[in-house]
Amino acid sequence: MKTRWVSRCESTNDLALSLADDPDLVGVGADEQTAGRGRLGRVWRSPPGCGLYFSAILRPEFSPQLGAAAPLMAAVAAAEVCEGLGVVPRLKWPNDLLLGTRKLGGVLCQAQLDGASWRVVIGLGLNLRAPQGGFPEALHAVALDAMLGAPPPAPVVAARWLEALFAWSARVRDEGLPPVLAAWRRRGPPLGSPLRREGREGLFGGLSATGGLLLETLIGVEEIHAGDVELVSWGAKE
Ligand code: BTN
């Protein structure tokens, strides 16, 4: 098992996808990304010295039918790493890490299916240090250095995340989705937290058995598997 670290690339997800045929390679990190990508076509600002920009290459030993596990376990694993540092983030579906209402990190998954076998590149962007002058307010972002004097170097955080991610992958192989769903729910919003999606209001109804988000609206419960939801406020923990 080996990882590769470069000083600069466009996107570690793209680099990992291009190198994923090497069966020993399990991750690619960069000090800086020039075209870092977020979910839903967003940009992930990736200046040098500020964040962890790292993409794991996972060759899951569980079925692609449990593919919803990948983003959830990536977020849970990242939360576990932060907790190990004494910082306790919360999760917003499917895989945002928040401190208060501010974004600490996010995950971008890209799966490649080849017959019965599959692999998934899981990119983690985690804000370690705020840029000089702070984050643009519009990003509504926060970095670990707001809570910790000196966060560990990015490769150290990456190694801990990979270890946690592989442990979760083995657990999903052995036990299916329930443990990772439970670990996500413990860090997610309280049931009944108000959500907004595409202009519609609803309440957080938990996660479905397949990892979808349950949005309770006046006309029933909607199970969402793609896209985004806006967390209007964080209700009291039940
Ligand atoms: C999001 O919250 O929208 C997901 C952000 C994911 C950013 C990471 S940084 C490492 C990897 N390379 C990318 O281009 N994106 C992911």
Side-chain angles (χ1 to χ4, degrees):
M1 293 223 297
K2 62 182 183 194
T3 56
R4 182 162 163 185
W5 207 274
V6 297
S7 54
R8 176 195 279 198
C9 67
E10 289 190 351
S11 157
T12 56
N13 264 37
D14 293 344
L15 191 53
L17 284 165
S18 72
L19 298 172
D21 282 340
D22 177 348
D24 295 327
L25 190 69
V26 293
V28 177
D31 297 336
E32 175 186 7
Q33 295 183 121
T34 54
R37 291 186 285 110
R39 291 181 64 239
L40 308 172
R42 296 178 191 132
V43 169
W44 188 259
R45 292 174 78 256
S46 314
C50 292
L52 168 66
Y53 318 118
F54 188 83
S55 299
I57 303 167
L58 197 67
R59 299 168 182 88
E61 294 174 296
F62 54 83
S63 146
Q65 284 171 348
L66 298 180
L72 300 178
M73 66 190 202
V76 168
E80 288 173 338
V81 172
C82 295
E83 288 159 11
L85 296 169
V87 175
V88 182
R90 311 201 83 172
L91 299 181
K92 177 172 120 24
W93 188 88
N95 45 28
D96 280 357
L97 283 91
L98 305 180
L99 276 184
T101 59
R102 291 186 176 265
K103 185 145 168 169
L104 177 67
V107 172
L108 177 67
C109 292
Q110 293 179 268
Q112 291 180 319
L113 277 137
D114 180 13
S117 81
W118 70 297
R119 61 193 177 198
V120 56
V121 164
I122 308 179
L124 172 65
L126 188 68
N127 299 324
L128 300 177
R129 288 168 212 86
Q132 253 191 345
F135 290 103
E137 188 48 37
L139 287 183
H140 214 63
V142 66
L144 281 178
D145 71 348
M147 312 290 286
L148 298 172
V156 172
V157 181
R160 291 182 194 171
W161 179 62
L162 260 188
E163 193 183 337
L165 189 62
F166 283 120
W168 272 111
S169 185
R171 195 145 179 218
V172 171
R173 176 197 63 206
D174 296 341
E175 301 175 51
L177 284 178
V180 72
L181 294 179
W184 194 100
R185 284 191 194 109
R186 279 198 297 280
R187 297 168 172 92
L191 292 174
S193 293
L195 301 178
R196 196 175 293 128
R197 171 159 161 113
E198 293 163 1
R200 297 189 315 285
E201 310 268 336
L203 301 177
F204 178 61
L207 298 182
S208 72
T210 54
L213 177 133
L214 299 174
L215 180 68
E216 295 173 350
T217 69
L218 287 175
I219 54 167
V221 179
E222 201 181 324
E223 184 171 341
I224 295 165
H225 281 279
D228 227 347
V229 288
E230 186 188 336
L231 187 58
V232 179
S233 72
W234 202 283
K237 199 78 187 171
E238 70 276 14

